[in-house]
Amino acid sequence: MSSGELFGWTQNAGMGWEPARLLGKQFLVLSTQGGIRAPDGAPIALGYHTGHWEVGLLMEEAARTFTASGAIPFAGYVSDPCDGRTNGTVGMLDSLAYRNDAAIVFRRLIRSLPTRRGVLGVATCDKGLPAMMMALAGSLDLPTVLVPGGVTLLAEEAEDTAKVQTLAARFARGEVTLDHAAEMGCRACGSPGGGCQFMGTAATSQVVAEALGLALPHGALSPSGAEIWRDLARRSAHALMALERRGVTTRDLLTDDSLHNAMVLHAAVGGSTNLVLHVPAIAHAAGLRRPTVDDWARINALVPRLVDVLPNGPRHYATVQVFLAGGVPEVMLHLRELGLLRLGARTVSGRTVGENLEWWERNERRRRLRDKLQQLDRIDPDDVILSAGRARERGLTSTVTFLRGNLAPEGALVKSTAIAPQAVGPDGVYLHEGPARVFGSEHAAIEAIKTGAVQPGDVMVLIGIGPGIGMPETYQITSALKHVKDGHRIALVTDGRFSGVSTGACIGHVSPEAWAGGPIGRVRDGDRVRLRIDTRRLEGTVDVVGVDAGGLAARSPNPALRPDARVSADTRLWAALQDASGGSWGGCVYDAERIIGLLGRALAAERGSFGA
């Protein structure tokens, strides 16, 4: 017995654990819990967001389940930021970089408890949940189970948590009163816990976790605080212990087939474009081949969107209503009919995807929850999760279109399913040509929207906010364009990224980015920019008209492209490391072997020059 293991017993007893029960199997519960919450739910210290406010209750349910089974639960925490809270602020420069840091710390916490027999991860929101999946994926020799932290309820007589983020822009333009803004801001959250009510990055990540086989069937999108949500934690603890008894590890679950299923579900639910960053990162952590732009384009061309949910529409149901309609397994039933799933992929339930679906078809839970949706909300569940034929009749289009052109020679993307229907022609093609309005900062761009300096027909070109400065998301701009008058007639092109709830003709991930010398950094005010997006064939272009690639390359960078002094050394280091590892299309990961190799060659060259 190591001295550390023996001292661990001493520490366990010191914390009050019954010494006679020290021989139980040890399981680690990790979460993104934030804030300090009194037993009655009152805030002692606020968390950063509702998504991690209640997940401690899930940890408690799981821990009590382990204890009742004779096991010993341990708990650790790595809280996460709120992208909604940091939008438009300097805090957003740390958002994406946080994901890698958190995944590293989670993995270090796992390794720092060498006696653990398995890991249960509890997480909810935009960066904490992808970080948790990366950490579990990197623990291939352990059994792991993920517990999605659920969603907040849809508030009554209120704007949803996406629309309220545009109150400032609408108020500045005189489109809402101060009283309306105050009322809506206070009403938006229908419950104190859970991720947002729309299929943004948080909700999409929950769907992807279940599709990967890391979470139990019908685990994604459960209503935070409800008994069915607590029950998920208890069942997940039992599932983890069962995996450990059978010797099943994460290596057995995360495969190319499970990755395929995750990408298929992403397309079917109309998921956030941010998963184009997170899914490759999870694959990299698991030692799998990272999906490329071509893989995403191929999947999106094959898979119809089957879910009507905020922000995509057309009827804009909430995420908890998707859960009641049957959630991920209900969507999978339709995808199975289309032959789009790898049914042999194994999952944490101990069954394959195909076996899970056979269970779901005849399960009383399915009937009971679908009936509840009709009784409570007067909504037909088949209007929320649709068959392929019904989705086609309702005009649901596929999720993401990948673009090329002289502004994006290495690629760009747009959430084409969320372009305003009135802006798309009867042939499914969105066409827009207008003068460029170039901005070198998000602050300058949102100021132009608030003051009306950007006019319908313009193309906003936002440069210098790609991975080089942390790739902050630009939701305050995209949301403003959705909700201000005539905003749907203004397009946006940027080397940055968007919130998962963003909508409209907003083209992001333009590559190469401006800081890498990309042509987007050489656009000038008044250049004619032409966008063509075929929402059916999922192809399109983004070009400066009248200037070829050579002409753009010959220009000097736009004077608006200036370094941002607020970018921290931490984020600059993240930017350099992810750039050496494949950049944003590679998932913004750290490829340790490549980085070590590059550093080794650079150091050898430096030492050689000193010797000379």
Side-chain angles (χ1 to χ4, degrees):
M1 194 177 198
S2 69
S3 63
E5 190 172 353
L6 180 60
F7 186 60
W9 278 9
T10 297
Q11 294 287 289
N12 297 346
M15 287 182 278
W17 201 260
E18 175 60 43
R21 296 166 54 208
L22 286 175
L23 290 175
K25 293 180 180 179
Q26 299 178 7
F27 290 92
L28 176 58
V29 185
L30 290 176
S31 92
T32 54
Q33 179 179 340
I36 304 174
R37 187 177 178 278
D40 66 354
I44 297 172
L46 291 170
Y48 285 28
H49 55 86
T50 62
H52 63 210
W53 179 245
E54 291 186 329
V55 295
L57 300 175
L58 294 174
M59 299 182 78
E60 288 183 26
E61 295 288 356
R64 295 183 192 282
T65 301
F66 286 126
T67 303
S69 300
I72 303 175
F74 286 76
Y77 313 85
V78 180
S79 193
D80 55 344
C82 175
D83 281 1
R85 187 179 294 273
T86 57
N87 250 296
T89 75
V90 67
M92 184 51 75
L93 301 178
D94 285 287
S95 173
L96 185 54
Y98 157 88
R99 183 205 65 178
N100 289 20
D101 296 343
I104 290 170
V105 175
F106 277 134
R107 288 194 294 265
R108 291 194 188 280
L109 286 173
I110 292 169
R111 293 191 295 267
S112 296
L113 186 67
T115 50
R116 76 280 181 264
R117 305 291 285 269
V119 182
L120 192 76
V122 185
T124 314
C125 283
D126 290 21
K127 300 303 179 298
L129 182 47
M132 185 70 78
M133 286 193 280
M134 290 166 65
L136 299 185
S139 304
L140 291 172
D141 295 328
L142 286 171
T144 62
V145 175
L146 187 125
V147 183
V151 298
T152 187
L153 299 183
L154 188 64
E156 296 181 1
E157 300 178 8
E159 296 180 355
D160 61 72
T161 49
K163 190 172 182 179
V164 293
Q165 295 181 55
T166 70
L167 285 170
R170 287 181 286 149
F171 177 73
R173 293 166 62 100
E175 296 176 12
V176 297
T177 66
L178 184 60
D179 285 345
H180 175 86
E183 181 83 5
M184 292 301 102
C186 291
R187 281 180 174 268
C189 294
S191 54
C196 289
Q197 302 138 339
F198 45 80
M199 192 59 69
T201 306
T204 308
S205 295
Q206 293 190 40
V207 168
V208 163
E210 187 174 330
L212 282 169
L214 287 176
L216 287 176
H218 203 228
L221 313 181
S222 59
S224 185
E227 173 56 27
I228 198 169
W229 172 82
R230 292 172 178 268
D231 179 63
L232 173 64
R234 296 191 290 267
R235 291 188 295 113
S236 296
H238 282 299
L240 181 60
M241 289 185 285
L243 292 174
E244 190 274 336
R245 286 194 299 271
R246 292 197 296 267
V248 178
T249 71
T250 308
R251 189 186 308 278
D252 301 312
L253 305 180
L254 289 183
T255 63
D256 290 335
D257 285 350
S258 59
L259 201 64
H260 166 89
N261 289 341
M263 295 173 70
V264 167
L265 262 295
H266 173 269
V269 302
S272 162
T273 54
N274 279 317
L275 272 293
V276 175
L277 297 170
H278 301 320
V279 169
I282 296 164
H284 178 261
L288 301 173
R289 185 184 72 85
R290 286 179 273 178
T292 65
V293 175
D294 291 337
D295 293 324
W296 285 105
R298 173 178 53 82
I299 292 289
N300 274 270
L302 287 174
V303 180
R305 180 165 65 94
L306 303 177
V307 180
D308 185 343
V309 62
L310 287 163
N312 303 326
R315 298 186 181 180
H316 301 96
Y317 298 110
T319 44
V320 71
Q321 292 166 330
V322 176
F323 176 80
L324 291 171
V328 170
E330 195 71 24
V331 179
M332 281 186 162
L333 289 179
H334 296 299
L335 294 170
R336 184 185 64 178
E337 290 181 13
L338 298 172
L340 293 172
L341 293 174
R342 307 276 172 85
L343 298 175
R346 300 171 70 180
T347 74
V348 294
S349 71
R351 300 183 292 262
T352 65
V353 169
E355 291 166 340
N356 284 341
L357 295 181
E358 292 173 7
W359 164 83
W360 179 251
E361 276 185 301
R362 60 178 184 269
N363 195 277
E364 169 63 17
R365 175 189 178 108
R366 179 192 183 205
R367 184 200 60 76
R368 176 169 53 86
L369 294 179
R370 285 166 62 86
D371 287 348
K372 181 170 286 193
L373 180 60
Q374 289 191 317
Q375 294 162 8
L376 294 178
D377 295 340
R378 302 291 187 268
I379 293 173
D380 182 349
D382 291 331
D383 284 339
V384 182
I385 299 174
L386 299 83
S387 66
R390 196 165 185 169
R392 198 162 42 246
E393 292 170 4
R394 292 278 171 86
L396 274 69
T397 56
S398 294
T399 307
V400 181
T401 298
F402 294 89
L403 312 175
R404 300 281 183 173
N406 65 16
L407 270 187
E410 294 180 6
L413 60 78
V414 60
K415 194 174 185 180
S416 49
T417 193
I419 296 175
Q422 63 267 35
V424 179
D427 57 355
V429 175
Y430 169 85
L431 289 172
H432 183 98
E433 182 177 324
R437 298 287 179 257
V438 183
F439 302 94
S441 72
E442 187 181 9
H443 175 78
I446 193 65
E447 185 69 17
I449 293 173
K450 288 181 176 181
T451 60
V454 180
Q455 297 296 314
D458 289 348
V459 179
M460 299 181 70
V461 181
L462 181 54
I463 64 175
I465 63 167
I469 69 162
M471 207 174 188
E473 73 175 33
T474 56
Y475 180 62
Q476 67 165 343
I477 295 174
T478 59
S479 61
L481 292 178
K482 176 179 180 180
H483 291 291
V484 301
K485 184 180 179 182
D486 292 327
H488 71 280
R489 295 174 56 199
I490 300 170
L492 173 68
V493 179
T494 180
D495 52 6
R497 63 184 178 91
F498 307 130
S499 164
V501 74
S502 292
T503 59
C506 301
I507 295 167
H509 296 234
V510 169
S511 185
E513 63 172 316
W515 287 116
I520 188 173
R522 302 173 192 277
V523 179
R524 295 291 191 272
D525 274 350
D527 281 344
R528 301 290 297 181
V529 177
R530 179 184 297 158
L531 312 176
R532 183 184 184 280
I533 302 167
D534 190 326
T535 64
R536 295 176 185 169
R537 296 169 61 89
L538 301 184
E539 59 187 25
T541 52
V542 50
D543 294 292
V544 174
V545 179
V547 183
D548 61 15
L552 281 172
R555 290 180 176 179
S556 60
N558 192 301
L561 185 65
R562 300 189 188 97
D564 190 333
R566 304 172 304 164
V567 179
S568 67
D570 298 326
T571 296
R572 289 169 52 219
L573 179 60
W574 168 88
L577 294 176
Q578 66 83 35
D579 184 50
S581 306
S584 60
W585 294 111
C588 292
V589 299
Y590 302 156
D591 185 334
E593 294 306 316
R594 175 168 168 75
I595 292 168
I596 291 168
L598 291 172
L599 285 173
R601 289 193 290 275
L603 287 171
E606 183 180 76
R607 289 164 182 157
S609 66
F610 288 157

